[in-house]
Amino acid sequence: MKVLAIGAHADDVELGCGGTLLAWAAAGHDVNIWVATESAYTAPDGTQVRSAEGARAEAEAAADQIGAKLEIGPFKSFELAFAEPLNSVLVPLVARIAPDIVLTHWDGDTHPDHKALGLSSLHACRHVPTVLTYCSNWYPSAATFDPRVHVDISETLEGKLDLIRLFESENARTDGAWCEWIEAQARTFGQRINTRYAEAFGSTKVKMTLPLP
């Protein structure tokens, strides 16, 4: 199976579906990650929170740990829009990789980059058999993320937390809160399918092959 995980910034993919990617890569599937932006971030007071170079190094370390191929797009943080500049990059990327399954942002996310990339993904992935969406933002939205596809990550939860810890710039900014939130969320999702930990996804479309597991 060929997998494409799409994220707006370095760490979005790991937060949203890192446990699933670890499991699929370990099973021998071809995992590809595309990060749309250079992921640099400057606080309103002008303090640099994250450099493009630092974000790339963190993303490369995470991709190596997963066993995935990583590509980083040409865009800047907070400048993504569901419009032709983004679509003209994403459409040929999807055509070139030809994934069997795409994991991308939920288009109801409050972060404008996440929302724009989620919408662009739906446009670019119209011929992809299976498209699932993840939520990598803990802030509430006017819409409700209502995932229906759950993946057991009981065996890879610790590996997912290790991935998140690689993003030292974000962990310094949030004082480690991402790991606490991710573990709590995975426990909640796991209860829904009677397992210890899970990741959950919105299902835009799912191609199923019989027999089912």
Side-chain angles (χ1 to χ4, degrees):
M1 178 174 69
K2 186 174 287 188
V3 180
L4 173 59
I6 297 171
H9 316 101
D11 77 4
D12 283 334
V13 162
E14 291 77 10
L15 289 167
C17 56
T20 298
L21 296 183
L22 283 166
W24 285 349
H29 297 295
D30 182 5
V31 177
N32 301 266
I33 296 173
W34 188 69
V35 177
T37 72
E38 62 179 18
S39 304
Y41 170 63
T42 301
D45 65 2
T47 303
Q48 186 179 64
V49 178
R50 185 189 225 183
S51 68
E53 295 77 13
R56 174 180 285 275
E58 292 169 348
E60 288 174 346
D64 286 345
Q65 192 159 307
I66 293 169
K69 304 179 189 73
L70 172 69
E71 296 184 48
I72 295 180
F75 302 97
K76 295 186 181 299
S77 298
F78 306 110
E79 294 185 4
L80 293 182
F82 178 39
E84 188 57 21
L86 178 57
N87 293 341
S88 65
V89 172
L90 192 52
V91 168
L93 172 85
V94 172
R96 171 168 56 84
I97 294 178
D100 301 295
I101 182 168
V102 166
L103 308 176
T104 190
H105 286 284
W106 169 53
D107 64 4
D109 200 306
T110 57
H111 195 301
D113 282 349
H114 297 181
K115 185 178 184 69
L117 189 53
L119 290 169
S120 186
S121 296
L122 297 182
H123 167 69
C125 298
R126 55 194 181 276
H127 299 305
V128 176
T130 298
V131 179
L132 302 179
T133 59
Y134 62 81
C135 183
S136 60
N137 191 342
W138 58 39
Y139 296 109
S141 171
T144 299
F145 182 58
D146 185 25
R148 298 294 177 167
V149 176
H150 293 70
V151 177
D152 184 353
I153 62 164
S154 300
E155 299 299 320
T156 57
L157 186 276
E158 287 303 321
K160 175 174 181 172
L161 296 176
D162 287 341
L163 291 175
I164 294 168
R165 294 185 187 103
L166 291 172
F167 295 91
E168 296 179 1
S169 54
E170 280 296 288
N171 283 302
R173 184 179 69 85
T174 60
D175 194 26
W178 278 115
C179 284
E180 296 176 9
W181 181 72
I182 286 296
E183 184 169 1
Q185 182 192 59
R187 186 179 298 110
T188 298
F189 288 153
Q191 289 173 337
R192 297 180 180 180
I193 58 169
N194 196 32
T195 192
R196 189 170 184 186
Y197 296 110
E199 287 176 338
F201 302 93
S203 52
T204 299
K205 53 181 173 175
V206 177
K207 178 182 179 181
M208 303 182 74
T209 302
L210 297 176
L212 296 176

